[in-house]
């Protein structure tokens, strides 16, 4: 888990969801560890959240400065609580202008059944989880 978080932190990464038979990809930057799991935050009014509720299978990809590609598959599970929402603001204080603890809009998603690997430009593959 630590290797995945280290790879993602401070970078824009892309999360894919599915709406029916149509995939959707969007850039994210908020990722953090909470209670031993990789977590993301989002608004429950967003299409991304609604798609995850219907189908919790997600994929994440990110490229580092050496063009190594991280690929993550997981199941995103709601773990919203006052404590998990507070963690969002510890990690990303700038979100306090959009959300608040207990506002009924901010959701925290824990990644479960995580599989992750990094693939190099030489087609090498290192399994992280």
């Amino acid at each position: 888990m630590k290797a995945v978080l280290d790879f993602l932190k401070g970078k824009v990464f892309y999360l894919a969801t599915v709406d029916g038979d149509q995939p959707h990809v969007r850039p994210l930057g908020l990722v953090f560890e909470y209670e031993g799991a990789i977590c993301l935050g989002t608004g429950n009014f967003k299409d991304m959240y609604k798609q995850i509720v219907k189908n919790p299978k997600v994929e994440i990809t990110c490229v580092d400065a050496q063009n190594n590609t991280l690929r993550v598959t997981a199941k995103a599970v709601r773990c919203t609580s006052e404590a998990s929402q507070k963690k969002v603001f510890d990690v990303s204080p700038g979100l306090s202008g959009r959300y608040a603890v207990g506002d009924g809009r901010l959701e925290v998603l824990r990644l479960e059944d995580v599989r992750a690997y990094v693939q190099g430009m030489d087609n090498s593959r290192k399994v992280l989880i």
Side-chain angles (χ1 to χ4, degrees), residues 108-123:
V108 178
L109 302 168
R110 177 182 66 245
L111 299 185
E112 295 182 352
D113 303 328
V114 178
R115 303 267 188 248
Y117 66 90
V118 174
Q119 188 153 344
M121 289 297 289
D122 61 358
N123 213 30

Side-chain angles (χ1 to χ4, degrees), residues 8 15 18 22-23 26 35 39 43 51 56-57 64-65 68 79 83 95 98 101 106 109 114 118 123-124 127:
L8 293 173
L15 178 102
V18 177
Q22 179 63 50
R26 75 270 299 145
E35 294 186 343
C39 292
Q51 292 159 7
K57 293 180 181 178
D64 69 11
N68 297 304
C79 69
L95 288 176
R98 293 185 184 171
V101 173
L106 176 62
L109 302 168
V114 178
V118 174
N123 213 30
S124 61
V127 175

